[in-house]
Amino acid sequence: MKKDNLNDETTKNRIKKDILSYTLRDHLFNGIRQHSNWQYHKYGINCKLSGALNTAVELENSKVIVHGCSHCAFNQRLSPRTMYDPAYDVECTNMTEKDVIYGGEEKLRAKIIEVYEKYHPKIITVLPSCIPGLIMDDITGVIATLNDEDILKDCKLVYVSSEGFSHRAKNAFERVMKDYTKAWKNPKDVPNYEIRGCGKQEALYSFFKQLYTLKEYNNDKNNDKFDSSKVVNIESIGLQGFVNKLEVENISKILKRASIDVNLIPTNLEHCKNASSADLNVVMGNIRWAERMKQEFGIKYVKKWFYHYGIEGTEQFFNEIFEEIGLEEEELINAKQIVKEEKEKAVDKLKDYSEFLGKYKYAVYTSGFFTTPYILKIYLEDYGLPIKYVLLDTKSLKNLNISDETIDETVESIQKLFDEWNYDIKIVLNPEIEELNDVAENVDYILGDRHLPYIENIPIINLHLVSSFLYRSSFDLLTEFSKYMVRKIKIKQNSKYQVDNSKLIISNFDYDKVHYPLLDEEVPRNSMKIWREIWAIKSE
């Protein structure tokens, strides 16, 4: 099989130097350093069309048609994950009130033909908004008719169920939280499903369902361009962010060193056709496509889970890939040795950083629950941080309709794991400013991975900019995170580099003390309340 050249050497070297600057770009919007994207996602851009559109536009040599009104197509160009990079190149059927009454199927047909004749893309993805879903436009019928007429001779049509109103059940997170809490103790019991609703999962599944067929599978197996080397498919779009893409690149680099070819899917139509001849699928997020390929083509898969984080977890992740792909004994030994060498390099790099970081005492402020114990394990074991407190913010769980009973069970499970792992850590729930002051007297720094307000005299190190590094199976990103922590602490210690936050424009606003960085005004509070009430009554 043809090897996929991710980047030339010049580009690779530039990327290595610019890891943090690219990450900064991922987290900026209009120059505001706080990562406000999460607020936009919760209370503004909360629609399946948003995730589906910003996944579909990543396909090479393709066009996206939003079947709906122009307002939807315009607003959803802006994704909460990549607000610095709107989806500019989007077509729209521009449905009107008349189309709502008489149907928009003819408009959709005309737009598909127009886009094909003008651009001749290899793939056209149709994304319906709420309106055609409510009036039940027969989108699949329009596509089937065009295919039968053979008008789009060399173009694939893909339909994604992206109607915003068809969201996940209101109690979806309750179930997931319970299952993950059980899986923390026995990681192999992790629930084999994912939460759908943002549109990304629906888009990815549609690509695999409609672009891969058994016929292509059989043809490709007999194609001379495939050699005897092992081939791995890696899910590589819909990741939306430089850090995610860098993780895929790092994984690909190690696999290629082990003489395993990498096919990034569904990057383009050619890669989709090649995918059915792979020996293994590597799942970075969505499981449904891998399950379908397992059923139809007999291709097994390895899924990245929370226990694949950290130095040891990353090594385990690669070893699982090597074992599942079916390497010969000597090849397997060599492959595992390559990973071991990469691991040892990372450990050596971490030693200097850990020596500096280990001089201080810490508290960790977090609101992430699905992976909390394993992220803290990285802080303690990979970075050697003496952590005295974990400050857990449960407000985000309540906003997701997770019950008090389940939250209590979750906190109890975290404490049991700490005891089992011999971690002498005190858990503080939803700390107020007075409690933060008490904690600050007993530690040198409070590490935060979420939105933390600037509080005078409390030594907060905001790691939100790079917190996603910890959720990656990448030795490079793990070492970059510790490097960033050292830099932040040294800046904190050096008055020469201190910034008077009170002089910043964004510091002159009054913020809600409970829901920072929401403004302390009636309009945003009412908006948040409405969104929560709508979420509470959502169902499938």
Side-chain angles (χ1 to χ4, degrees), residues 67 95 99 102-105 131-140:
H67 183 38
M95 291 182 69
D99 300 314
Y102 294 102
E105 294 166 11
I131 294 173
L134 289 170
I135 65 175
M136 300 181 70
D137 268 355
D138 186 11
I139 298 173
T140 55

Side-chain angles (χ1 to χ4, degrees), residues 243-259:
V243 175
N244 307 65
K245 291 178 172 62
L246 186 63
E247 178 190 23
V248 169
E249 181 183 302
N250 289 342
I251 292 171
S252 302
K253 176 186 69 176
I254 291 178
L255 293 181
K256 289 181 178 182
R257 278 194 61 197
S259 299

